[in-house]
Amino acid sequence: MVRRWLGRMQRTLLVSPETLTADPRIISRALRTDELLEVAGVRRIAELGPRNTRFVAPGVLRHPASRLSILRDALEDGIRMLFAEADPAWDDAPLTAALPVIVHRLDDPAASERGALYGANVLELLRHTLASDPDATARALRGMSTRHVPQKTMRMLPAELPVQRLHPLRRLAGDPRGPVYLAVGIYSALRALPVAFLPQFHGSLLVLWLIDILTAIPYTWGVLAMLFAPRRSIRALATLTTIATFTAPYVYFWLNGRDYPPFVVAVIAVLTVCSISIEVVKYVQERLLRRRYRSALVAATVRMTPVRITQAPEASQTTTVQGSAIG
């Protein structure tokens, strides 16, 4: 039982974005990362992996009945995005006509040799089906389990929709991520408690705790925007936000105490290094993932480039192809 629960926990918590980028259907195409992120509704490619994405046939999205069927399966399994791979001879006009603002082409048409790759956001697909055919959507989703459906999606579902609406505590109890979220919450709430045992600290534990809790959300936004926001002004604002929210608890801690013992300084230094290291690892991971997509783009572009022969080849001569010598 414990082993099965640990397996569920691993599948639930580990997105494994490297596995997705290594998929031949992904890496062999010239994907546009900005389009991919926009369609998926995420800021980082690292948020996408086999756990929350799925490949379907283009015809599944084109026909209303099969579209509703795959939508229900995607919602029950917590899928965020659907990929549809089409062969080179497939006509995409019916698909784009059926879902003109839902399905988007993700690869570069000018550098594609294997046919098109399309993407559809599951949340947007749900919004479309609820607006276009609410009765058919209600019949298709009748009795659907909502254990893995995000709260944002749950708020979109009409109150009269006959789905299994679980109590939040029951959802948390059955979710392998529950213990992790609980541990993080307890850690965040009690992180300021050890300060109570330091006689050198003369500030308010409540104020220190509130600073720690209230800066968590803007700190998370600041880190993401500082690294990946498209506009320089936003990146600059995010950098200031990240620095301010990260240092705020420590500034209050040092302003309201003095003569701390050496082990306190060491602990704070270790926490600071760990926090910075985690963000550096995330940044490096995201850069490597985007480089894989760009490498596919460059490779596909080179394959599509016409060969230019500078002179007639002979047995003892060298032929130059796009600036590279081939003996």
Side-chain angles (χ1 to χ4, degrees), residues 272-308:
T272 302
V273 171
C274 289
S275 299
I276 296 175
S277 301
I278 290 174
E279 301 306 331
V280 169
V281 169
K282 290 181 180 180
Y283 174 76
V284 172
Q285 179 194 42
E286 183 70 10
R287 299 297 296 180
L288 290 176
L289 291 173
R290 297 195 181 198
R291 186 180 301 171
R292 290 187 183 183
Y293 285 108
R294 287 197 300 269
S295 299
L297 176 62
V298 171
T301 303
V302 171
R303 288 196 301 268
M304 294 296 292
T305 303
V307 175
R308 175 168 50 87

Side-chain angles (χ1 to χ4, degrees), residues 66-136:
S66 57
R67 185 192 311 156
L68 288 173
S69 176
I70 196 64
L71 174 62
R72 172 174 178 146
D73 292 341
L75 290 173
E76 286 186 320
D77 295 339
I79 301 299
R80 177 190 293 271
M81 184 175 180
L82 299 174
F83 290 105
E85 181 188 31
D87 60 65
W90 191 77
D91 183 11
D92 64 346
L95 178 58
T96 54
L99 300 169
V101 296
I102 306 299
V103 175
H104 301 266
R105 185 163 183 174
L106 302 176
D107 61 329
D108 186 358
S112 179
E113 298 179 350
R114 295 190 52 182
L117 183 68
Y118 298 90
N121 185 287
V122 172
L123 185 62
E124 294 302 322
L125 185 60
L126 174 63
R127 181 179 286 110
H128 170 79
T129 57
L130 287 173
S132 60
D133 198 344
D135 294 335

Side-chain angles (χ1 to χ4, degrees), residues 185-314:
I186 293 176
Y187 167 74
S188 299
L190 301 181
R191 185 159 47 181
L193 185 61
V195 180
F197 301 99
L198 294 176
Q200 294 86 356
F201 178 70
H202 305 291
S204 170
L205 285 177
L206 178 61
V207 173
L208 183 61
W209 179 78
L210 287 176
I211 293 175
D212 200 16
I213 296 298
L214 294 178
T215 56
I217 294 178
Y219 172 76
T220 302
W221 171 85
V223 170
L224 291 175
M226 176 180 65
L227 299 178
F228 306 112
R231 295 172 54 185
R232 181 177 300 179
S233 59
I234 296 180
R235 293 199 300 269
L237 176 61
T239 302
L240 295 177
T241 302
T242 301
I243 296 175
T245 53
F246 179 80
T247 59
Y250 298 111
V251 170
Y252 181 81
F253 179 77
W254 290 109
L255 289 178
N256 291 272
R258 61 181 60 185
D259 299 327
Y260 289 115
F263 78 88
V264 173
V265 179
V267 169
I268 293 178
V270 170
L271 292 176
T272 302
V273 171
C274 289
S275 299
I276 296 175
S277 301
I278 290 174
E279 301 306 331
V280 169
V281 169
K282 290 181 180 180
Y283 174 76
V284 172
Q285 179 194 42
E286 183 70 10
R287 299 297 296 180
L288 290 176
L289 291 173
R290 297 195 181 198
R291 186 180 301 171
R292 290 187 183 183
Y293 285 108
R294 287 197 300 269
S295 299
L297 176 62
V298 171
T301 303
V302 171
R303 288 196 301 268
M304 294 296 292
T305 303
V307 175
R308 175 168 50 87
I309 301 177
T310 58
Q311 60 180 358
E314 298 179 2

